[in-house]
């Protein structure tokens, strides 16, 4: 059996620990990774709700305070004609997280249901989810940078709203969810042959 | 799994319990859920309560942006702005913090704070950039919470629940006060006025004022309020003084107050004070009337009402008893159609009526007026002053007034009958003056004056006239010389001495028993002389003479003598006292001197014979008297002729003098008129 961490192959029954990296070795241990996936998934989902209904940014400009949620921000940007920015924000803050939720849910469900088809496709999907996860933070970055830069007191001040924290948490949870995913399980039940 | 259990029934693995394999990681979503729910619940509970405020307009109020503030702290936010069902007002729905809600009872007031630049300063400046907000004010006592409020159009100057005292001030129509005008006590702002309002038949203007604690303790019946707006220039004996109150009150008016005397009585809330137009008036009022308690009456004027206006003084017997509060026009339906009459509403002060006891109320005043009207009391519009007419309403007893009664039930107030106004004369119409000026024959007057001056010049150039003064002067010099002559000067003294002596003698004579005494003396002398005559035969004539004299003396009515003597003396006196005495012959002086000597001798009862001679001398002197008088008369006549000659010659002069006097009088009146016009040039334009 192979070390799940470094890949060193041991003879079975072998030591409890990987002789190279010390990772715990177990054969046919009930895989709990899916629980982790689901747990982080739901945490991310829960965090995603306030991230959308609460304001992302509190903009104070000359005494006027305006708050806007992510979606309002997108709509506002569209009204202003900044279509490209609107699309970027929409993709980064809405399309990707939601797509990620769907992807993770699909992967997790397919493993639970021991779906055998499309193993390669699912693996590719998993990799995409893993890769793209960190880029969802682009919104949080923007908010963080704006909030740090625009502190001009009365003239203009931008403060992050509750949604910023929720969104960051949501993204973090979904990333953890994706990372908890044990790609081996895709192969465990899958049809190894490319179909 | 079923195939495994059938083949290997004994090696059934440990039950795959969900709970057993449950990873601790599930705590994360659970925790997230709890937190999310917590946040949601908190947001919901913090949401506050929706209230509705009705405004006339919603200028600047924006849903989601406009905040609701109390003492400048945000307590809520406007959620929506919409119209009421009938589109009459704007309904602003706002969410208010729940903690505030119990205080939002009936006395809560809301108004929209907008940037405002007033005389008191700039307020709400922050709303220029941040947008308007809704300010609320309420007291600190929780009450029955309400959800719907009427918004105010103007900011509330006095917040409910503020410590202090609310009073009411009567405002004169010309003061033009604004809401928010500061109340000033010795230069310190201690309160504010609210918006002035019309009350009671629109007769008076009242304004509520709020005085903050602890300054409200200064309000008593001795407190007087006055309008300190603007500035006053006082030019008096101590120079020019310019009195400028605070700049804010200069522009928008300020009401100052002070206690004008000590120990004023407590006044109840809502007590009505008057606002005087100046501090001097306010302070003077301390000696005139107590505040308040004015009684309204009305007067209907049928005829001339020129000059009738609010604010006129109402006088009675020269004392101010009230003032005209308003003048309105009432129309009446009569047989000849609708007639309109001026009705003046007066506010009389019962305290100003001497006939009324202290503290008399309206009823007493009305009773008094009813009696007085029966006795002929009437109201009358009168004017005084030459150019600027000072109008006032007089309550005076008018003789031969048409019978009238005090109408208690008249509208709007009990009515005092009026009599026709005195027609405007020169006093009331400057037009009259101007007309007179215009009618003055200036040109003719000037021509006449020039003519007269020419005549005077001619006259003065006349030689004869020039001689007149010289003649008069010489005449006067002569007269002076005559009078100043030592003889003349001596005459009065001698005459007076003689007269005095004569009077003394006559008095003595009267005292000493008079005629009988004299007779007896003479008889005795006769008797004494008898033997002498007998003895001396040589003197029979003398004796006879003497006897005759004695008889004459006895027969003489001394009283008549005295009378004639005193007449003579009186004549002499008159003559002597006359300044026109021209010439007196020295004889008179001599005669008088002799008379004096004689009288002296007589007084000594010396010689009887000397009496005779004296009397003779006196007679002689008296004989000369008419000549003297004639002479005097002659002199007087001469003087008279001279003066008459002078007089006839100077007819021209007299006339000239008269003319000159007239001219000077005319010039004086013109100068007066010019001065008056100079003093009040508007008079030419305004006719006053």
């Amino acid at each position: 059996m192979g070390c799940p961490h470094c890949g060193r192959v041991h003879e079975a029954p072998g030591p409890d620990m990987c002789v190279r990296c010390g990772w715990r070795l177990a054969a046919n241990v009930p895989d709990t990774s899916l629980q982790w996936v689901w747990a982080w998934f739901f945490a991310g989902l829960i965090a995603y709700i306030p991230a959308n209904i609460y304001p992302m940014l509190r903009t104070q400009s000359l005494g006027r305070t305006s708050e806007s949620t992510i979606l309002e921000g997108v709509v506002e940007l569209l009204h202003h004609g900044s279509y490209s920015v609107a699309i970027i924000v929409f993709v980064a803050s809405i399309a990707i997280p939601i797509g990620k939720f769907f992807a993770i849910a699909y992967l997790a469900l397919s493993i639970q249901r021991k779906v055998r088809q499309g193993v390669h496709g699912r693996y590719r999907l998993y990799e995409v989810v893993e890769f793209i996860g960190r880029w969802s933070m682009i919104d949080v970055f923007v908010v963080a940078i704006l909030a740090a830069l625009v502190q001009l007191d009365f003239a203009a001040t931008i403060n992050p709203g509750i949604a910023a924290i929720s969104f960051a948490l949501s993204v973090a949870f979904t990333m953890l969810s994706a990372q908890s995913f044990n790609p081996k399980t895709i192969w465990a039940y899958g049809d190894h042959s490319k179909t | 799994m079923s195939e495994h259990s059938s083949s290997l029934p004994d090696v059934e693995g440990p039950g795959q319990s969900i709970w057993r394999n449950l990873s601790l990681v599930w705590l994360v979503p659970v925790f997230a859920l709890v937190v999310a729910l917590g946040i949601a619940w908190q947001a919901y509970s913090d949401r506050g309560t929706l209230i509705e405020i009705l405004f006339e307009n919603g200028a600047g109020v924006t849903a989601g942006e406009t905040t609701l503030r109390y003492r400048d702290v945000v307590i809520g936010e406007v959620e929506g702005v919409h119209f009421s069902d009938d589109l009459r007002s704007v309904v602003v729905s706002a969410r208010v913090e729940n903690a505030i809600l119990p205080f939002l009872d009936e006395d809560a007031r809301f108004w929209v704070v907008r940037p405002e630049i007033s005389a008191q300063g700039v307020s709400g400046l922050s709303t220029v950039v941040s947008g308007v907000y809704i300010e609320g004010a309420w007291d600190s006592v929780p009450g029955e919470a309400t959800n719907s409020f009427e918004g105010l159009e103007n900011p509330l100057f006095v917040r409910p629940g503020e410590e202090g005292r609310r009073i009411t001030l009567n405002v004169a129509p010309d003061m033009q006060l604004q809401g928010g005008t500061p109340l000033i006590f010795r230069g310190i702002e201690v309160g504010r006025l609210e918006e002035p309002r019309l009350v009671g038949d629109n007769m008076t203007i009242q304004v509520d004022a709020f005085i903050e604690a602890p300054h409200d303790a200064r309000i008593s019946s001795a407190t007087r309020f006055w309008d300190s707006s603007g500035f006053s220039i006082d030019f008096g004996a101590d120079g020019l003084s310019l009195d400028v109150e605070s700049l804010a009150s200069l522009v928008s008016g300020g009401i100052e107050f002070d206690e004008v005397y000590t120990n004023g009585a407590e006044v109840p809330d809502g007590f009505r004070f008057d606002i005087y137009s100046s501090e001097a008036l306010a302070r003077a009022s301390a000696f005139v009337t107590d505040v308040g308690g004015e009684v309204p009456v009305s007067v209907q004027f049928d005829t001339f009402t020129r000059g009738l206006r609010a604010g006129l003084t109402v006088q009675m017997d020269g004392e101010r008893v009230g003032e005209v509060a308003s003048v309105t026009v009432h129309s009446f339906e009569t047989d000849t159609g609708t007639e309109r009459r001026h009705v003046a509403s007066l506010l009389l002060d019962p305290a100003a009526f001497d006939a009324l006891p202290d503290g008399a109320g309206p009823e007493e005043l009305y009773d008094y007026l009813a009696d007085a009207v029966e006795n002929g009391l009437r109201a009358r519009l009168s004017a005084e002053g030459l150019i600027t007419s000072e109008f006032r309403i007089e309550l005076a007893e008018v003789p031969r007034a048409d019978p009238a009664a005090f109408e208690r039930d008249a509208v709007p107030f009990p009515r005092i009958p009026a009599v026709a106004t005195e027609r405007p004369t020169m006093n009331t119409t400057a037009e009259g003056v101007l007309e007179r000026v215009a009618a003055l024959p200036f040109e003719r007057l000037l021509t006449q004056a020039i003519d007269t001056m020419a005549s005077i010049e001619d006259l003065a150039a006349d030689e004869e006239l020039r001689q007149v003064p010289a003649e008069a002067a010489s005449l006067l010099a002569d007269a002076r010389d005559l009078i100043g002559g030592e003889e003349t000067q001596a005459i009065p003294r001698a005459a007076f001495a003689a007269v005095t002596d004569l009077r003394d003698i006559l008095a003595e004579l009267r005292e000493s028993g008079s005629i009988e005494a004299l007779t007896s003396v003479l008889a005795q002398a006769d008797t004494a002389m008898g033997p002498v005559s007998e003895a001396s035969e040589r003197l029979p004539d003398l004796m006879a003479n003497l006897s005759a004299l004695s008889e004459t003396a006895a027969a003489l009515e001394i009283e008549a003598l005295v009378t004639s003597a005193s007449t003579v003396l009186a004549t002499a006196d008159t003559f002597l006292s006359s300044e026109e005495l021209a010439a007196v012959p020295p004889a008179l002086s001599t005669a008088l001197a002799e008379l004096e000597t004689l009288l002296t001798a007589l007084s000594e009862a010396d010689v009887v014979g000397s009496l005779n001679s004296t009397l003779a001398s006196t007679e002689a002197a008296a004989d000369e008297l008419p000549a003297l008088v004639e002479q005097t008369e002659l002199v007087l006549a001469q003087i008279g002729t001279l003066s008459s000659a002078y007089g006839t010659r100077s007819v021209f002069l007299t006339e000239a003098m008269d003319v000159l006097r007239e001219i000077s009088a005319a010039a004086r009146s013109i100068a007066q008129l010019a001065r008056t016009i100079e003093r009040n040039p508007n008079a030419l334009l305004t006719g006053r």
Side-chain angles (χ1 to χ4, degrees), chain B residues 106-169:
Chain B
E106 278 185 352
D107 66 347
R109 299 280 179 274
F110 294 92
W111 65 93
V112 179
V113 178
R114 300 183 173 99
E116 193 178 356
I117 300 172
S118 69
Q120 275 84 43
V122 181
S123 65
L125 195 62
S126 62
T127 59
V128 172
V129 284
S130 68
V132 302
Y133 60 88
I134 296 172
E135 178 85 16
W138 43 83
D139 59 21
S140 48
V141 183
E144 198 178 330
T146 327
N147 279 334
S148 191
F149 302 92
E150 288 270 350
L152 302 173
E153 287 311 306
N154 294 303
L156 207 60
F157 296 112
V158 182
R159 290 158 182 276
E162 243 180 296
E163 293 258 326
R165 161 168 265 181
R166 191 175 291 272
I167 53 166
T168 307
L169 299 168

Side-chain angles (χ1 to χ4, degrees), chain A residues 30 32 34-36 38-40 42-43 46-47 50 54 62-65 154 162 173, chain B residues 16 18 21-23 25-26 28-30 32-33 36 39-40 43 64-65 129-131:
Chain A
T32 56
L34 264 184
Q35 279 192 37
W36 286 74
W38 283 120
W40 291 122
F42 282 119
I46 288 165
Y54 278 100
L62 296 173
R64 282 172 188 273
T65 304
F154 186 69
I162 297 174
F173 289 156
Chain B
Q16 295 273 326
I18 297 174
N21 290 328
L22 205 60
S23 168
V25 79
W26 282 104
V28 175
V30 168
L33 188 67
I39 289 172
E65 275 188 19
V129 284
S130 68

Side-chain angles (χ1 to χ4, degrees), chain B residues 170-177 203-205 227 229 252-253 275-278 281 309-312 323-325:
Chain B
N170 290 328
V171 186
D174 53 349
M175 277 184 191
Q176 298 184 338
L177 295 172
M203 251 189 71
T204 49
I205 305 167
D227 187 1
S229 64
S252 71
I275 300 181
Y276 293 88
S277 56
S278 74
L281 273 179
R309 58 178 172 79
L312 291 188
E323 67 171 24
V324 179

